[in-house]
Amino acid sequence: TTPQEYIIKAVVHASLGQATGSRDHIKMAQQHFQMVGASPSECDTIPGRQCMASCFFLMRNFDEVVIYLNSIKAYMYSDEDFNWNHGIAMAGTGNFRAAEEALLCVQSEKNRNDYVYLSWLARCYIMNGNPRSAWELYMKLENSQDSFNLLQLIANDCYKMGHFLYAAKAFDVLERLDPDPEYWEGKRSACVGVFQMCIAGKESRASLDEVLGMFRNVSNPQVEYILRIINKWLADH
């Protein structure tokens, strides 16, 4: 059996494993990729390095993935699949700046409209302090399950990173789409976060106006209390 045949088998097992959730197929894919990547005749070739990267990718060992992909980066700079995998692997190690740079090298419309791509790019934008760009990705999506999932990612990641205005905007839309109490709690907390940022001089009054707009026509004792506090602060400042 040639290395190319092992690679084909590995790709088929990986595809089946990811499509069906079968750990057995994923394990077979890992073994076949490793067999090629670790073999003396292939270990220092580009396909061999790609195989080892794929093996570790399936194991979600992104530190090792990055080592192997970096070793062939100079030869693969314009390769769509390479930039996609390199970007996700970099994000997996927490290097979101390098991840964003790699993902933005992906050019094909098909790939750029794929939800997996959009979700990773949105996360990179948020982690790199650019939540507006993540929000713009959501705004370009048609109403679908993907847009709902992206909203959840934006809401939670923005809240975690202290980008409270965009967290509030996302939770606001989620709450209107689905009356789950968790979305209201997320929106309330994010709006209070915006107010605290305004008090600290780190957010604009225009952002506070957006928050007030989100609470308009909401009949809730908690909202009335929050509005009284905000309006008093605005009157005093």
Side-chain angles (χ1 to χ4, degrees):
T1 304
T2 65
Q4 289 74 20
E5 288 173 317
Y6 277 117
I7 292 172
I8 290 170
K9 287 179 181 179
V11 170
V12 170
H13 279 297
S15 299
L16 284 170
Q18 289 175 329
T20 64
S22 165
R23 288 299 308 158
D24 289 337
H25 278 300
I26 295 293
K27 193 170 182 181
M28 289 296 291
Q30 290 170 358
Q31 289 172 353
H32 285 8
F33 278 131
Q34 188 171 29
M35 203 174 295
V36 176
S39 69
S41 62
E42 300 295 323
C43 63
D44 289 325
T45 66
I46 291 174
R49 298 286 174 90
Q50 286 176 307
C51 283
M52 288 307 295
S54 297
C55 173
F56 285 117
F57 214 114
L58 293 172
M59 296 167 68
R60 302 186 69 79
N61 184 341
F62 294 116
D63 289 316
E64 291 293 332
V65 174
V66 168
I67 289 171
Y68 280 99
L69 292 183
N70 280 345
S71 73
I72 58 174
K73 183 178 176 181
Y75 308 99
M76 309 290 289
Y77 199 75
S78 60
D79 185 280
E80 287 275 300
D81 294 334
F82 176 84
N83 287 317
W84 173 298
N85 290 327
H86 195 225
I88 292 175
M90 282 293 189
T93 66
N95 188 343
F96 291 102
R97 294 245 171 248
E100 181 180 331
E101 184 182 316
L103 289 172
L104 288 174
C105 289
V106 173
Q107 296 299 316
S108 94
E109 281 302 306
K110 180 176 179 292
N111 286 338
R112 290 176 77 95
N113 289 321
D114 187 291
Y115 176 72
V116 173
Y117 174 85
L118 290 170
S119 61
W120 278 106
L121 183 58
R123 174 159 285 167
C124 289
Y125 282 146
I126 293 165
M127 297 300 172
N128 292 333
N130 186 10
R132 179 191 291 273
S133 291
W135 185 252
E136 287 169 357
L137 288 179
Y138 157 70
M139 295 294 285
K140 289 175 189 171
L141 270 182
E142 298 293 327
N143 285 332
S144 65
Q145 187 61 43
D146 283 349
S147 64
F148 188 82
N149 291 339
L150 191 60
L151 265 180
Q152 290 181 309
L153 182 149
I154 291 170
N156 290 307
D157 278 9
C158 280
Y159 190 88
K160 189 163 54 179
M161 294 302 293
H163 305 313
F164 295 119
L165 177 60
Y166 285 95
K169 285 157 76 88
F171 278 123
D172 183 49
V173 178
L174 286 167
E175 187 196 16
R176 281 185 271 128
L177 293 171
D178 178 1
D180 187 320
E182 283 190 13
Y183 297 140
W184 154 246
E185 289 166 13
K187 173 178 156 180
R188 180 194 62 198
S189 300
C191 286
V192 170
V194 174
F195 181 43
Q196 290 174 326
M197 298 286 275
C198 283
I199 293 171
K202 296 178 180 178
E203 194 63 83
S204 68
R205 289 174 79 104
S207 299
L208 211 48
D209 288 339
E210 284 199 63
V211 165
L212 292 173
M214 292 177 208
F215 284 149
R216 198 169 291 129
N217 301 322
V218 176
S219 179
N220 183 311
Q222 291 180 337
V223 169
E224 290 164 16
Y225 176 73
I226 292 168
L227 289 177
R228 275 203 308 275
I229 300 291
I230 291 175
N231 285 322
K232 183 179 185 309
W233 183 83
L234 287 169
D236 293 344
H237 296 79

